[in-house]
Amino acid sequence: MAKCDVCGKDENMPYNCRHCGGTYCADHRLPENHDCSGLQNWNDPQGVFDSGFDDSVNGGSTSRASSLADKLPIDTSPGGPLAYFRGNMAYTFLALMWLTFFSQLVLGQFLSYEAYNSIFVLRPYHPEYVWTWFTSIFAHGGFGHIVGNSIVLFFFGPLVERYVGSRKFAILFLVSGALAGLGQVSIQILQASTVTPFTPGVVGASGAALAVLGVLTILNPGLKVYLYFILPVPIWVLTGGYAVFSIFFVSTGGGGNIAHMAHLVGLAIGLAYGEYVKRNRNVRAPNQLQFGGGGPGGPGGPGGPGGRRRF
């Protein structure tokens, strides 16, 4: 429940203006109805001004409402072949994950061990390979691994994106994923007596996925989800379970090929950002959602192929 900044009316589904950051009821959601500071940027010959509630609406060429998809050199306009991904970074990242996974399957047949890992895996031996900070987010260690992370991103990603916007969601996903991976390789470097080209690296989007869960846990800790589509649990139990599980294995040095430190880093970033969003925008997530979770050890299941950890 949120209050309109203009009339003080309580709203279950408030409108959050992306131009001025205010929260408004249906009567005051339009920029001209709440004296929006973004009106000074009006430059739309079509007479359409994006309120920020629906990212699929285009603003003018100088409007801040234009989404990341507008910058792509391909047709993402309504009715175009990629219209489904317009203003929807959660599903765009989901598609990139699967494209990267299929690339792994193909290139793995032709590339050497070193070449393959230099493209897809963030490794303690070569943390200076900056591109792997991000390619490793989209790469995965197996079919079950990517399916688990895909489920989390498919069901939870759009909810977070709806409240923070596509641009901020993209930054959250990429930054949390990269820092999660770097956190994992950092603890490996500190714990290992020596690091070699064969020291396991990390792949997977679980750090970013747990950041998404962390945001929703703060916005609505009682959000009910159906684990495996059967067992109803509040989201705080789910994220808390991941946290306890990961803390135990980080402290004991166990956990096999699961990157537990990456889980903790991603979750911590999500919780911190969720608290920031809650304090500054006063938003609330839906009360119920169904999804099927991954296996133990995070949204990807336990275990991983030799030479890299899964997270």
Side-chain angles (χ1 to χ4, degrees), residues 171-189:
I171 294 174
L172 170 69
F173 187 89
L174 295 174
V175 171
S176 61
L179 292 180
L182 290 171
Q184 178 64 39
V185 298
S186 296
I187 196 171
Q188 289 180 251
I189 293 172

Side-chain angles (χ1 to χ4, degrees), residues 16-290:
N16 296 106
C17 180
R18 69 186 304 169
H19 302 283
C20 64
T23 301
Y24 306 101
C25 64
D27 293 334
H28 296 101
R29 68 184 181 89
L30 296 179
E32 59 268 27
N33 290 344
H34 63 256
D35 195 25
C36 180
S37 59
L39 281 172
Q40 62 185 343
N41 296 313
W42 183 287
N43 184 22
D44 188 358
Q46 301 297 324
V48 177
F49 191 93
D50 183 10
S51 68
F53 181 74
D54 185 356
D55 285 341
S56 66
V57 179
N58 286 324
S61 60
T62 62
S63 172
R64 287 176 291 176
S66 51
S67 65
L68 294 179
D70 293 329
K71 300 177 177 60
L72 297 176
I74 48 182
D75 182 14
T76 60
S77 62
L82 297 180
Y84 187 70
F85 296 100
R86 184 178 181 82
N88 196 339
M89 292 306 300
Y91 291 159
T92 299
F93 285 144
L94 184 61
L96 289 175
M97 281 167 49
W98 282 92
L99 287 174
T100 303
F101 181 67
F102 288 128
S103 297
Q104 289 178 260
L105 297 179
V106 174
L107 295 179
Q109 305 299 316
F110 304 99
L111 297 179
S112 66
Y113 173 88
E114 180 62 27
Y116 177 91
N117 285 279
S118 295
I119 295 174
F120 296 111
V121 184
L122 172 57
R123 295 181 292 168
Y125 191 71
H126 285 300
E128 74 278 10
Y129 288 0
V130 177
W131 61 89
T132 62
W133 298 4
F134 303 100
T135 57
S136 62
I137 301 172
F138 300 96
H140 285 79
F143 184 75
H145 188 201
I146 190 172
V147 166
N149 283 332
S150 295
I151 289 173
V152 175
L153 184 57
F154 180 83
F155 286 103
F156 292 141
L159 292 178
V160 174
E161 185 175 358
R162 177 190 305 172
Y163 294 112
V164 304
S166 296
R167 180 176 177 273
K168 292 181 180 179
F169 177 83
I171 294 174
L172 170 69
F173 187 89
L174 295 174
V175 171
S176 61
L179 292 180
L182 290 171
Q184 178 64 39
V185 298
S186 296
I187 196 171
Q188 289 180 251
I189 293 172
L190 293 174
Q191 290 178 343
S193 57
T194 179
V195 176
T196 73
F198 300 100
T199 301
V202 292
V203 293
S206 292
L210 282 169
V212 171
L213 288 179
V215 171
L216 287 179
T217 299
I218 293 296
L219 295 183
N220 191 346
L223 173 65
K224 185 178 296 184
V225 298
Y226 283 80
L227 191 62
Y228 298 106
F229 301 98
I230 299 174
L231 180 64
V233 296
I235 195 171
W236 71 265
V237 172
L238 184 67
T239 53
Y242 282 132
V244 171
F245 191 84
S246 296
I247 290 173
F248 172 78
F249 282 109
V250 167
S251 61
T252 60
N257 287 335
I258 302 172
H260 293 288
M261 178 56 71
H263 289 182
L264 293 176
V265 172
L267 181 58
I269 292 173
L271 293 173
Y273 185 64
E275 185 63 31
Y276 170 81
V277 171
K278 184 177 181 179
R279 289 185 177 184
N280 288 274
R281 300 188 63 180
N282 192 26
V283 297
R284 188 174 178 86
N287 292 319
Q288 187 170 348
L289 185 69
Q290 292 187 1

